[in-house]
Amino acid sequence: MREVGTRDRLLSSMQSLLDERDPQTITVTDVVAEAGVSRPTFYAVFGTLPNAFAESALQRLSEAFSGLSVGTDVPESRRAEDMSAAFARIITRLEAHRMFYVRTTRGPGGHEILAAAIAFVAERLRHHSPLSPALRRGPLPLEATTTALAAGVTWLTLDWLDEPGGRSVRDLADLVRAIVLRAVDGGLAGDPDDHDSHKEHR
């Protein structure tokens, strides 16, 4: 239990520092002083600062999604609205820590953090989405389709966080929902030959 408490203190301290400062200005000394632990403890838990940045970002991202999945049992008549509502809640939680996400994805280890965020969102699409069954039935590998969708919505959301003042939270949520639904309906979960044939007869 002591190790879990130490990790949590370090992650909390890392998040507090990243809320206020660019990661390039943060040192191990800063983190351990904030957390009240030793340098050897930090290295035993994380190894490197970029690893610590990545874990703190993933923990906060997981918190943003907590309790907001839309299950496969949601009736189709409610699916779009429920998805938009869930996305709006998630985006609102992300917006509360806007500069944290901007800083971590631009700082040391930012590429790894972005890749980890995409993998996290892809996993949510595979296992916590009403579209999971359709994606599983599709002709393309499930990991590829969910990663492609996750990369698109992750980039779109990060771009919005980086330059706020354009779309509202609800507008962005509706756009993300539309992209996911349209990609699955006749797209990533459909047969391309059937889709082309359908267009020819329209």
Side-chain angles (χ1 to χ4, degrees):
M1 292 296 291
R2 183 182 175 188
E3 181 181 349
V4 173
T6 299
R7 177 180 290 274
D8 287 345
R9 284 208 308 278
L10 283 165
L11 287 172
S12 178
S13 298
M14 181 68 68
Q15 290 169 353
S16 294
L17 289 167
L18 288 166
D19 281 336
E20 301 295 333
R21 294 166 53 182
D22 189 283
Q24 293 184 345
T25 71
I26 297 172
T27 66
V28 173
T29 300
D30 295 328
V31 178
V32 298
E34 180 81 11
V37 302
S38 67
R39 291 175 67 91
T41 297
F42 172 90
Y43 288 115
V45 174
F46 295 118
T48 67
L49 269 173
N51 285 345
F53 294 150
E55 288 209 33
S56 66
L58 281 176
Q59 184 191 58
R60 190 164 269 179
L61 184 63
S62 178
E63 291 168 356
F65 278 76
S66 178
L68 294 177
S69 61
V70 179
T72 57
D73 58 342
V74 173
E76 190 169 350
S77 61
R78 279 181 33 211
R79 183 177 296 168
E81 182 59 30
D82 282 9
M83 289 177 68
S84 282
F87 288 144
R89 291 284 302 279
I90 291 166
I91 292 165
T92 297
R93 292 175 178 179
L94 296 175
E95 186 183 27
H97 302 287
R98 183 177 67 82
M99 287 309 301
F100 170 89
Y101 292 109
V102 172
R103 291 184 180 115
T104 54
T105 53
R106 286 181 171 180
H111 176 79
E112 289 76 10
I113 293 170
L114 183 59
I118 290 170
F120 174 86
V121 175
E123 192 275 338
R124 297 286 303 191
L125 287 170
R126 283 194 289 274
H127 302 293
H128 304 280
S129 165
L131 305 178
S132 297
L135 288 166
R136 291 178 186 280
R137 291 192 302 267
L140 300 177
L142 180 64
E143 185 172 350
T145 55
T146 53
T147 299
L149 277 172
V153 299
T154 299
W155 273 111
L156 187 68
T157 304
L158 280 175
D159 186 61
W160 180 83
L161 290 170
D162 193 25
E163 296 187 13
R167 293 185 178 91
S168 67
V169 168
R170 186 63 191 218
D171 284 345
L172 179 60
D174 287 344
L175 178 60
V176 169
R177 179 258 299 161
I179 289 170
V180 173
L181 283 177
R182 288 178 180 272
V184 175
D185 183 14
L188 294 175
D191 188 320
D193 294 331
D194 289 346
H195 187 58
D196 291 343
S197 175
H198 176 66
K199 287 195 297 184
E200 290 173 3
H201 290 88
R202 291 176 71 175

